[in-house]
Each structure stands twice: as structure tokens, then as C-alpha cells.
Amino acid sequence: MHMTISEVFDDLYDHYERPEHEGPDDMLGTLMRTILSQNTTRSNTDRAFGRLLDRFDGDWDRMRRADAEAIVDAIEVGGLARQKTPWIQSILEELHEERGEYSLEFLRDCDPEEARAYLSNFKGVGPKTARFTLMEAAGMPFFPMDTHILRICKRLDWIDESLSGTKAHEAMEPRIPEGEHYAAHIVLVRHGRELCHARHPECELCPILEQCPHGEDQTSSQTPCHPNEPNT
Ligand code: SF4
């Protein structure tokens, strides 16, 4: 039986429970944290962001004026610190110059596409970072795709195997049911971590196996332990 995308998500929510968006979060802090999360784990992101806030008492102006080495030192636990430091300081510099304050709260009143385009102008803010910030901090209808989500969407044949980056986001975003962007993002990340691993997905335990061409291939190609015995 072929299911709609919405029905597939319902099956995932039944299995994992439906994630609820906890409400608005500080927009600039979320952007900085998301930049720090690039190419590292969640726990290293938390440590890098925590150390950055502690080091400067959460004062964005002090971070803007700080010696770059002090920021590198604070965030190096998150990796790519020499790349991320100028991104962080240039965002603060631009906000200071253009708006005279360290805040992105005005984006809440913008059209989501305008808000996405504004964030994307900053160095270090790619399609995933801009979308994640606006989804997470403001509940905007964006669908950021990390490596787990990209892999699962391809396995389910929801998007073409050749797509990545902006094109993958643009192909998938309109297919997400209205009001489900946050829950769909979180549940697919969880599915990628718990069952749909990059190597050796646990398809036989998967709640959406019947909807997944990759999973059907995987399970039908498994040979029995004793190939000479009938497969009962
Ligand atoms: S059936 Fe397997 S490959 Fe498909 S979504 Fe489930 S775990 Fe992933």
C-alpha cells in the first residue's frame, strides 16, 4: 500500500512520538549556536557555545571587539575554530554597523523567504544553517536537511539521488505537510540516529519499511544463515 508523506510521518510519530516545538528562542544566539554546530557533534556544540558565552558573559559587543584568538580559544572544542571565529565576528560587526544592536528579532516580522535571504548573506551561513535557525528559533516553515535527513529522503525515493545542498532543500521543503516542518525534521534526525544508519540500517525494525524501496531491497537481498535450508 502506497502512503502519502504525511502518513509516513504519522507512522514515525507513532514509533518515536511526535516532537513538539518548544516555542521561540533567541534568534541571534540560535544562529551562533548553529554556526558552531557545523561539522561537529551536539555535545561539542553545547560545550563550545557554553564556553563562548561564559568567556564573554554573553556580551555580544565584547565578542565583536575581542581579539580573535580569545574566541578561537573559547570555541576550539567545536572544531574549525579559525574558520568560525571570523564568521561570528563579522556577523556581529555587520549588525553593529547596520542596526546598532545585536539582535535578529526583527526577522520574526519578515516573510520567511526574506528572513532566509537576509541570513544567507552572512559568511558561514549556508542553506542548512539559515533554515535551521529560522525553524528552531521562530518556528518558520523551513526543513533543514542534515546528512541523516538527506540519506533517508533518498532511500525513501522522496528526492533524486544526485541532489544536495540548496537543491535538495528546495526539492523537499514544499513536500513537507503544513505545520509539520519542525516535527518532521526532528523525527527524521532521530530515525537516522536510531535505525536508518548510514551503514547497516536496521530495516527489519523500521516502522516505514513497506514504504521504503531501499529497505525492501536490503531485506529481500539478505541470504538465510544456512543457504541450503528452506527459508521458512
Ligand atoms: S527501511 Fe531501512 S533504509 Fe528504509 S527508512 Fe527504514 S531503516 Fe531506513
Side-chain angles (χ1 to χ4, degrees):
M1 181 188 55
H2 182 71
M3 289 174 145
T4 63
I5 285 192
S6 188
E7 289 167 332
V8 171
F9 279 115
D10 284 343
D11 279 359
L12 288 170
Y13 300 152
D14 283 347
H15 186 80
Y16 294 109
E17 87 182 9
R18 185 179 184 280
E20 296 296 335
H21 187 247
E22 286 175 5
D25 206 349
D26 166 56
M27 195 85 88
L28 180 57
T30 305
L31 176 64
M32 294 302 187
R33 193 182 179 287
T34 309
I35 287 173
L36 291 175
S37 76
Q38 294 176 13
N39 292 88
T40 194
T41 61
R42 204 178 343 177
S43 64
N44 281 347
T45 303
D46 289 342
R47 286 163 66 199
F49 190 50
R51 287 193 54 181
L52 180 67
L53 294 181
D54 285 351
R55 177 74 176 255
F56 297 97
D57 296 323
D59 183 334
W60 300 117
D61 191 56
R62 277 181 57 200
M63 280 180 225
R64 175 183 70 85
R65 292 183 287 107
D67 188 285
E69 283 308 309
I71 297 195
V72 169
D73 183 58
I75 67 171
E76 70 181 347
V77 64
L80 302 179
R82 293 199 179 276
Q83 222 168 307
K84 293 172 185 174
T85 292
W87 294 342
I88 289 170
Q89 288 193 300
S90 70
I91 289 170
L92 295 174
E93 193 60 54
E94 282 184 49
L95 286 176
H96 176 70
E97 261 180 42
E98 278 178 21
R99 306 193 62 85
E101 61 172 3
Y102 302 102
S103 171
L104 290 168
E105 296 306 304
F106 67 95
L107 292 177
R108 290 184 199 283
D109 299 327
C110 295
D111 170 78
E113 258 318 301
E114 258 177 58
R116 189 200 58 73
Y118 181 87
L119 290 186
S120 301
N121 280 329
F122 290 123
K123 276 201 191 110
V125 180
K128 187 173 70 176
T129 297
R131 284 173 164 86
F132 184 85
T133 301
L134 295 167
M135 176 199 75
E136 172 82 2
M140 287 188 182
F142 287 111
F143 187 65
M145 295 175 76
D146 71 352
T147 52
H148 293 299
I149 297 181
L150 194 60
R151 178 174 73 246
I152 297 167
C153 289
K154 288 179 179 179
R155 285 175 171 174
L156 287 164
D157 237 356
W158 285 352
I159 56 168
D160 193 89
E161 189 62 38
S162 63
L163 294 185
S164 62
T166 301
K167 285 203 163 69
H169 284 98
E170 287 173 355
M172 203 52 222
E173 217 143 54
R175 304 195 63 193
I176 302 299
E178 200 180 333
E180 292 302 310
H181 292 72
Y182 177 82
H185 170 88
I186 300 291
V187 85
L188 283 187
V189 171
R190 184 167 175 190
H191 185 50
R193 289 197 178 120
E194 295 190 17
L195 290 178
C196 194
H197 316 293
R199 297 181 64 212
H200 310 306
E202 297 180 69
C203 301
E204 62 292 347
L205 302 176
C206 180
I208 53 172
L209 170 60
E210 286 182 12
Q211 303 303 316
C212 179
H214 184 84
E216 300 252 291
D217 284 352
Q218 291 276 310
T219 46
S220 64
S221 65
Q222 278 171 4
T223 51
C225 301
H226 304 287
N228 292 332
E229 288 179 9
N231 210 2
T232 53

